[in-house]
Amino acid sequence: LSSEVQSFLSYKRAEAQFLTKNFEDTNETLKKVTDKKYKDQAVVLKIKSLNELKKYSEAFKFGSSQISRMNQESKVRVLASLIPTVNGSKIWSKADFLLSEAKKQKVSGLELASFLYLAGKASSEQQICKKSIQYFSEALALDSKSTQRNEAQFRLGKCYQKQKKQELAKQQWKEVIDSKDSFWAPMAKSEINLMEDP
């Protein structure tokens, strides 16, 4: 069999192993994918597999080391696959790197919103409210229907509260309450209650 066919078969086998949650086997099989045509896809699958194994640091190191040799489309796919890596690892300092790389690749619209949501959450976790507000505001402007909207607005409310902008905080939390999100709406309601009746 040619290198291309062997790589294709190995990649398909690794996909099946991933789908059946055999993540260690997935990583072993992906080592046999050597043909350029499938190598970039294998990188994304390996990152996903490492994420499932909670080997976030390894996933980030591996993924970011592969970017320089890839074409633009593959780079964007790898960068997107690293979003759950940063979220899972809570290595918040890497969020700005991903956003910066995405912008270099001219990522825009809904795709860019995912990187902005991550950067907003990372800034929020690091108590850098000014950046968090900027990132979340940009993300919401690009993708107001995102499943991440409620978390973004809840976190925006917390940042506005820290900046003593109580009305802006309340406005964000009221929108979260109106969404009836089962997780974020009760938290937003609790924040408003604490604000109104300390």
Side-chain angles (χ1 to χ4, degrees), residues 139-154:
L140 289 164
L142 290 172
D143 183 16
S144 63
K145 293 182 172 70
S146 171
T147 56
Q148 299 171 83
R149 177 184 181 88
N150 293 320
E151 179 179 2
Q153 287 190 287
F154 178 81

Side-chain angles (χ1 to χ4, degrees), residues 14-27:
E15 268 189 327
Q17 290 167 327
F18 181 84
L19 290 171
T20 56
K21 301 185 184 310
N22 293 317
F23 305 120
E24 293 286 356
D25 292 341
T26 302
N27 291 335

Side-chain angles (χ1 to χ4, degrees), residues 118-133:
L118 177 67
K121 180 177 180 177
S123 297
S124 169
E125 288 289 333
Q126 296 172 91
Q127 309 290 313
I128 309 170
C129 277
K130 189 174 179 182
K131 277 173 73 174
S132 185
I133 290 168

